[in-house]
Amino acid sequence: MYLLKTEQTFDSAHFLSDYQGKCRNLHGHQWRVIVEICGKTLSIDTQTRDMLVDFGDLKHDLKTETDFFDHALIIEKGSLKPTTLTALQEENFKIVELPFRPTAERMASYFYTKMKFHGYTLRRVTVYETPKNCAIYEE
C-alpha cells in the first residue's frame, strides 16, 4: 500500500454554541489539516508514471478547500441571532455557515468528504485545532 500525506493551514474564528466552557466564546485558531491518501498501484500515465498522484494536484486541491475558511468566522447555521448575523454581514465579515457545530471532529469529517469528492482514496484526515490537540477521521 502506498501512502501520501500533505497538509495546509488556515486561520479562522469559531465558537461552540450550547457548550458550557471557554469554547462557547468566540476564539481563533490556526487550523492544521493533514490529508493522507492511499493506493495499491502507481500510475502508468506518462506524466505521473510511478506516482500515486501528483503531489501538486493533491496540494492544490487541499489548499482550495482550506482557503475557503481562511480568515473567516465559522459558525453553525442557526447559532447566531438573525440580527447579529445580519450586522456581521453588513460589515462585510467573511462568515462560513456550516450545517454542523465546527468542532475539530466534524471539520476532519468535512475535509475527508471534500477530498473524497476530488477523487482521492483517503486513509484519514487529521485536523489540529491547537498544536497539541487534533481529531482524526477515517472510514
Side-chain angles (χ1 to χ4, degrees):
M1 180 72 66
Y2 296 96
L3 300 172
L4 296 182
K5 187 189 309 189
T6 192
E7 66 180 78
Q8 291 290 333
T9 61
F10 65 94
D11 298 305
S12 69
H14 76 149
F15 65 93
L16 301 180
S17 63
D18 302 319
Y19 179 79
Q20 300 305 310
K22 292 190 309 184
C23 292
R24 72 176 298 280
N25 293 305
L26 183 63
H27 61 284
H29 294 287
Q30 182 180 65
W31 301 79
R32 181 177 166 214
V33 180
I34 303 169
V35 169
E36 297 176 50
I37 66 168
C38 59
K40 292 183 179 181
T41 59
L42 300 178
S43 174
I44 57 172
D45 181 61
T46 302
Q47 176 69 11
T48 57
R49 185 169 45 87
D50 294 333
M51 297 178 186
L52 187 57
V53 300
D54 187 322
F55 264 119
D57 294 337
L58 180 61
K59 293 187 309 185
H60 174 268
D61 291 339
L62 181 57
K63 184 165 175 37
T64 297
E65 297 301 337
T66 57
D67 279 356
F68 178 70
F69 293 99
D70 194 40
H71 285 78
L73 170 58
I74 305 170
I75 64 169
E76 179 181 9
K77 189 167 181 62
S79 63
L80 289 176
K81 294 178 184 176
T83 53
T84 304
L85 182 57
T86 299
L88 291 170
Q89 290 169 331
E90 287 175 354
E91 293 292 337
N92 292 317
F93 285 111
K94 182 178 177 182
I95 300 169
V96 176
E97 286 186 277
L98 297 173
F100 54 82
R101 195 189 226 189
T103 62
E105 294 87 344
R106 289 302 300 261
M107 295 300 283
S109 173
Y110 173 90
F111 285 112
Y112 188 101
T113 300
K114 288 293 188 177
M115 293 304 287
K116 193 172 183 179
F117 179 76
H118 283 281
Y120 297 103
T121 301
L122 283 108
R123 180 170 186 203
R124 73 172 51 108
V125 171
T126 304
V127 173
Y128 280 85
E129 204 178 61
T130 69
K132 295 181 181 181
N133 298 304
C134 69
I136 299 168
Y137 182 82
E138 56 187 29
E139 290 184 341

